[in-house]
Amino acid sequence: MRGAIEAQIRTLGLADRVLLLGHSGDPLPVMARAHVLALTSEYEGVPGVLREALSVGTPVVSTDSSTAVAEIIDRPDHGMIVARDDAAALVAALDAWLGPTAQRPAPVQQPGADSADRYLALFDQLVRR
């Protein structure tokens, strides 16, 4: 559907504001440059993309597509959750985060980010015994 989406972007006069980047081997640098990440899924399991965006300090707007969303967007300064069928709420949330006074959240350390260090420390501790 890329061609149809590109045509809609041109029709709406958004070609200078909307980029369809396609696949990236490492999306974190792109997310770090974004003003906001929007996840508009009908259903998700545990949406890792939200954690990735928050790890680089990019706020997120997500539909309530999973119970995990509320665990990830656990503070108002991290982003907003909107109902899956509420387009007006989605637009309002995006407008809020794209506004001139919106403050980016500090990067959020992700659960398990220190797992390798803790695992190696455990071996160090066992060797010392």
Side-chain angles (χ1 to χ4, degrees), residues 4 14 42 46-47 57 62 76-77 80 93 129:
L14 298 173
E42 286 288 320
V46 178
S62 177
D77 61 324
M80 296 177 172
R129 288 187 185 169

Side-chain angles (χ1 to χ4, degrees), residues 39-128:
L39 179 66
T40 60
S41 300
E42 286 288 320
Y43 174 79
E44 289 285 338
V46 178
V49 68
L50 298 178
R51 290 192 189 281
E52 291 171 337
L54 290 171
S55 77
V56 293
T58 299
V60 297
V61 171
S62 177
T63 54
D64 58 353
S65 56
S66 165
T67 57
V69 170
E71 295 173 12
I72 298 168
I73 307 174
D74 59 348
R75 297 177 12 187
D77 61 324
H78 290 164
M80 296 177 172
I81 303 168
V82 300
R84 284 172 282 199
D85 59 352
D86 193 343
L90 176 64
V91 169
L94 290 171
D95 281 345
W97 282 104
L98 293 171
T101 60
Q103 298 289 316
R104 290 178 72 89
V108 177
Q109 183 173 359
Q110 297 308 302
D114 63 342
S115 294
D117 291 335
R118 290 185 318 154
Y119 192 63
L120 292 173
L122 172 64
F123 280 110
D124 289 342
Q125 181 183 15
L126 293 172
V127 168
R128 277 187 244 124

